[in-house]
Amino acid sequence: MSLNRRRDVLKAVGGLGAVGLAGCLGGGGDTTSLSVGIPSSATTTGQASNSFQRVVQEQSGDTEPAGEIRWQNQETGGDPPSLRQHARGNLQGLTAGNFIVASAQQDLPPFEEEPLDALPQQMFSITPLHMHVLSLTGSGIETTDDLVGSNFWPLPPEWGLRQQAQSVFTNAGLWSDLEDSDSIVNAGTGEVAGRIEEGDVDALVAYGAGFANLAGWATEVDARADLQLVEFTDSFIEGVNSTRGTSHSQIDTYGWEQQSFGQDQMDVYGADFQFWLNSEVSRDVGYELARISHENTESIQEGQPAYLDHSDAETMASLYLDDVPIHPGPYDFLEEQDVDMSAYTRGETSE
């Protein structure tokens, strides 16, 4: 389906998240309950959304004209399941990476066989992730070329980050070799630390968030495993840089408090994450959610330090995709904060 056709479909069916409700979700002093998809509470975005939920509960009781807002997180297992639940009308908001939303927009894996008829609108940034590869000390895995023939965990199979990793490794010419050598380990985040201790995992993909910390599941790996950083080869870097929505960089190591890497920098590729809203959510509710985040960043960061500093309104818009509409609530709020929104499309709601 062409992107223009996709936009037409979004206008027609983007309101599936309000099944059984007349008009728009919110506005006019009502109570608005938003079901929000998160992968799990152990993920960076799940922790961020849980912290945002707490602050919204504290701050939204007297918002006008939006009324009271209830942000209610629902664990779905990953970004692709969240997007599918949104399209079925079961979620009004979600956390998701730009890579996987762009994949859904273009009917690319994992959506090529079951394309989505409805996509959410962009809300505002959560945090950038820094994806990197590690191996067990003594495993002999020093570069990405050494992963073939090992027991390699490239994140849970249901995750959008797993799809991104698969695309990166495919573009680097490694994924088929990993599959052919039966190297891929499929497991959830709650299993990986134990699988490492049992000898079932020799190397893994992990990530830090916003130069602040690791995901909750990775801190358990940090406490229970002796790890080393895996160097990206030139061909792997070419694969990273040829993958839509990401690029290679070297950054200072952070987050792995129990490790002694013996080096100050690590190879990473990027993954940007945002909140997303259904077009059935009113402009006023979207506006108030943006205001709450802007005015309460420190409180949200108490629950997830990697949450970007939204006290600077520019940061709220720093991860936007330029070809996906912005929900009109955050769009209007950011414009009022003198953020240049001219490069983006203001979305429409059913108001």
Side-chain angles (χ1 to χ4, degrees):
M1 183 183 294
S2 71
L3 297 189
N4 288 335
R5 174 59 182 152
R6 171 77 71 187
R7 292 189 182 94
D8 291 339
V9 170
L10 290 182
K11 290 180 181 178
V13 300
L16 290 176
V19 173
L21 297 178
C24 211
L25 278 170
D30 299 326
T31 296
T32 302
S33 294
L34 304 176
S35 293
V36 180
I38 62 173
S40 80
S41 295
T43 63
T44 297
T45 57
Q47 291 169 343
S49 195
N50 282 337
S51 189
F52 188 57
Q53 174 178 282
R54 170 181 55 80
V55 172
V56 169
Q57 182 177 1
E58 295 169 352
Q59 298 294 325
S60 74
D62 58 355
T63 58
E64 292 294 343
E68 183 177 355
I69 304 169
R70 296 175 183 170
W71 183 273
Q72 300 174 322
N73 291 313
Q74 309 290 329
E75 295 191 10
T76 66
D79 295 351
S82 289
L83 285 165
R84 294 193 188 283
Q85 289 298 322
H86 167 268
R88 293 168 186 156
N90 298 325
L91 296 174
Q92 291 79 52
L94 60 146
T95 69
N98 286 354
F99 173 87
I100 204 65
V101 173
S103 299
Q105 185 186 45
Q106 301 171 53
D107 297 341
L108 294 172
F111 306 103
E112 76 279 26
E113 294 184 3
E114 296 182 40
L116 302 182
D117 289 331
L119 292 177
Q121 298 175 348
Q122 297 181 96
M123 186 174 163
F124 45 71
S125 64
I126 300 175
T127 193
L129 303 185
H130 302 115
M131 315 300 299
H132 48 282
V133 182
L134 305 104
S135 64
L136 269 66
T137 301
S139 66
I141 302 170
E142 297 182 357
T143 76
T144 46
D145 284 348
D146 299 327
L147 293 168
V148 176
S150 71
N151 295 314
F152 176 50
W153 183 72
L155 300 170
E158 301 85 6
W159 281 19
L161 286 175
R162 165 64 173 269
Q163 186 63 55
Q164 183 176 8
Q166 181 172 336
S167 295
V168 166
F169 278 84
T170 296
N171 291 337
L174 286 174
W175 189 259
S176 60
D177 290 340
L178 289 165
E179 288 188 316
D180 291 345
S181 59
D182 200 25
S183 297
I184 304 298
V185 176
N186 291 317
T189 54
E191 305 171 62
V192 65
R195 297 286 292 270
I196 289 173
E197 286 186 329
E198 293 166 4
D200 294 337
V201 173
D202 305 314
L204 69 153
V205 174
Y207 55 87
F211 295 97
N213 56 22
L214 303 176
W217 63 265
T219 61
E220 183 180 359
V221 172
D222 186 30
R224 296 169 63 180
D226 188 9
L227 302 169
Q228 62 189 12
L229 291 166
V230 173
E231 179 185 350
F232 291 7
T233 63
D234 289 344
S235 59
F236 190 81
I237 291 171
E238 290 178 9
V240 169
N241 291 334
S242 64
T243 302
R244 63 189 182 280
T246 192
S247 61
H248 166 261
S249 61
Q250 286 192 322
I251 64 171
D252 291 341
T253 58
Y254 72 93
W256 297 95
E257 297 181 357
Q258 306 302 318
Q259 308 300 321
S260 299
F261 291 138
Q263 61 189 82
D264 295 329
Q265 291 199 315
M266 58 182 173
D267 288 310
V268 300
Y269 64 88
D272 295 336
F273 277 75
Q274 300 190 74
F275 287 121
W276 304 76
L277 278 180
N278 188 277
S279 63
E280 193 75 10
V281 177
S282 74
R283 177 265 181 200
D284 292 338
V285 167
Y287 182 99
E288 287 302 320
L289 290 169
R291 182 191 62 78
I292 289 169
S293 189
H294 174 63
E295 295 179 358
N296 297 275
T297 291
E298 288 187 7
S299 183
I300 299 169
Q301 288 177 335
E302 290 174 4
Q304 176 45 268
Y307 195 86
L308 285 176
D309 183 5
H310 286 185
S311 64
D312 178 358
E314 293 276 358
T315 304
M316 299 176 71
S318 62
L319 304 182
Y320 280 154
L321 295 168
D322 61 8
D323 59 349
V324 179
I326 315 297
H327 190 278
Y331 187 103
D332 291 350
F333 177 82
L334 293 173
E335 201 167 51
E336 289 179 12
Q337 299 297 315
D338 297 323
V339 177
D340 182 4
M341 300 295 288
S342 61
Y344 308 114
T345 300
R346 184 181 186 274
E348 299 177 0
T349 69
S350 60
E351 290 177 300

